[in-house]
Amino acid sequence: MQNADQTGELNENIPQHIAIIMDGNGRWAQKRHLPRIAGHKEGMNTVKKITMSANDLGVKVLTLYAFSTENWKRPSGEVSFLMHLPGDFFDTFVPDLIKANVRVNVMGYVDRLPDYTQKAVREAIADTAQCTGMVLNFALNYGGRAEIVTAVQNIATQVAKNELDPAKITDRTVDEALMTSGLAPYSDPDLLIRTSGEQRISNFLLWQIAYSELVFTDQLWPDFSDAELKKCVYQYQQRNRRFGGLK
Ligand code: FPP
């Protein structure tokens, strides 16, 4: 398995936007003969640690895939537990986020979440609205294809109203119609990490990762650490990003 095994001193080329597919909570729990939700609970603690690590590194946006539009297919008890996690997380962590000047953002179909989840999310966004440092961006009830479908619907509506000439649709038109538009100039991740050894994108940020560097690590999300994050950044720094051009 390819991995973030090699490591060394980091240089100043820190990825401005890091996105993470936090995978392996269930397997972490299974290995300990615990229910799957124990893995999600431990995963929440890892979110706290890694938020602070990314902030300390100088990352501008940290996007975390917390719940996908496909995760509703899981058993109802697990879905319910996951829906209560944002409340638990923000109740205990918002003061630390404010102290660290971290602003919370959420992207996804938030209005389709239970009321208590929406409330927790909206309060955290409001409570950290004045923070000017790193953006902690949760993808919650998010799916890359659904996001693109919504963007196409919005663009088509503008065309139908004669507000937009189809010939003038550019990459930028699409960028601006996506859920990451508010993160500009850091809308696209520089580095995408997936934990747990799986090497898939799983419907995450399909448009935005066109030129992202991908790093896969075997560590399960609850075990993911500051040291492992730094190894992933080190891997990123060894890559030669060309964006389709020549170096
Ligand atoms: C994938 O592991 C993980 C999820 C679907 C949920 C991610 C949620 C957290 C890490 C908790 C933090 C959330 C907030 C809002 C603070 P999996 O269950 O698919 O693991 P498996 O592949 O080993 O079964």
Side-chain angles (χ1 to χ4, degrees):
M1 174 73 47
Q2 82 161 285
N3 259 307
D5 294 342
Q6 290 169 299
T7 192
E9 278 295 304
L10 294 184
N11 62 35
E12 66 290 346
N13 178 26
I14 299 297
Q16 294 184 299
H17 182 169
I18 299 182
I20 308 184
I21 302 175
M22 309 181 287
D23 196 9
N25 293 348
R27 277 164 282 170
W28 182 93
Q30 205 174 18
K31 270 172 48 180
R32 289 162 179 75
H33 307 288
L34 295 169
R36 292 177 53 79
I37 56 170
H40 295 314
K41 193 163 181 217
E42 194 58 30
M44 181 183 84
N45 292 328
T46 306
V47 172
K48 294 182 181 177
K49 280 189 295 190
I50 295 305
T51 297
M52 290 311 176
S53 300
N55 190 43
D56 292 345
L57 277 176
V59 169
K60 308 280 189 207
V61 177
L62 177 66
T63 297
L64 301 176
Y65 204 6
F67 193 86
S68 79
T69 45
E70 288 69 41
N71 285 151
W72 297 107
K73 296 177 198 156
R74 295 187 176 210
S76 62
E78 182 172 343
V79 169
S80 167
F81 187 85
L82 287 169
M83 287 299 132
H84 281 92
L85 274 186
D88 288 355
F89 177 80
F90 292 127
D91 278 353
T92 51
F93 200 48
V94 160
D96 292 328
L97 292 175
I98 293 171
K99 223 179 283 168
N101 199 25
V102 172
R103 181 165 69 81
V104 173
N105 188 63
V106 176
M107 64 174 197
Y109 297 88
V110 174
D111 55 348
R112 295 179 206 165
L113 296 171
D115 287 346
Y116 55 85
T117 314
Q118 290 191 39
K119 184 168 177 280
V121 159
R122 292 192 207 289
E123 279 176 8
I125 292 171
D127 290 348
T128 60
Q130 306 308 320
C131 297
T132 54
M134 187 180 84
V135 176
L136 173 59
N137 181 38
F138 283 103
L140 208 50
N141 199 18
Y142 170 86
R145 286 189 172 182
E147 177 191 36
I148 291 170
V149 169
T150 300
V152 170
Q153 286 171 339
N154 290 338
I155 292 169
T157 302
Q158 290 177 54
V159 170
K161 287 187 188 160
N162 281 326
E163 290 167 4
L164 180 63
D165 174 359
K168 297 221 167 98
I169 294 174
T170 62
D171 279 19
R172 189 162 171 190
T173 319
V174 179
D175 276 340
E176 287 174 354
L178 294 173
M179 294 171 179
T180 43
S181 62
L183 303 173
Y186 311 115
S187 306
D188 297 343
D190 301 294
L191 168 62
L192 172 69
I193 299 169
R194 183 172 188 145
T195 60
S196 91
E198 307 291 350
Q199 300 193 12
R200 282 191 293 278
I201 299 302
S202 298
N203 202 17
F204 194 37
L205 300 171
L206 297 179
W207 170 274
Q208 297 89 336
I209 59 165
Y211 288 104
S212 303
E213 295 298 330
L214 311 182
V215 172
F216 300 99
T217 161
D218 284 340
Q219 279 203 339
L220 304 174
W221 176 250
D223 293 327
F224 194 72
S225 60
D226 175 69
E228 192 67 10
L229 176 68
K230 288 190 173 123
K231 283 189 198 172
C232 293
V233 171
Y234 180 78
Q235 291 287 307
Y236 167 85
Q237 292 185 345
Q238 307 314 302
R239 306 274 175 91
N240 176 10
R241 297 186 85 192
R242 292 191 297 275
F243 299 95
L246 299 176
K247 195 93 178 183

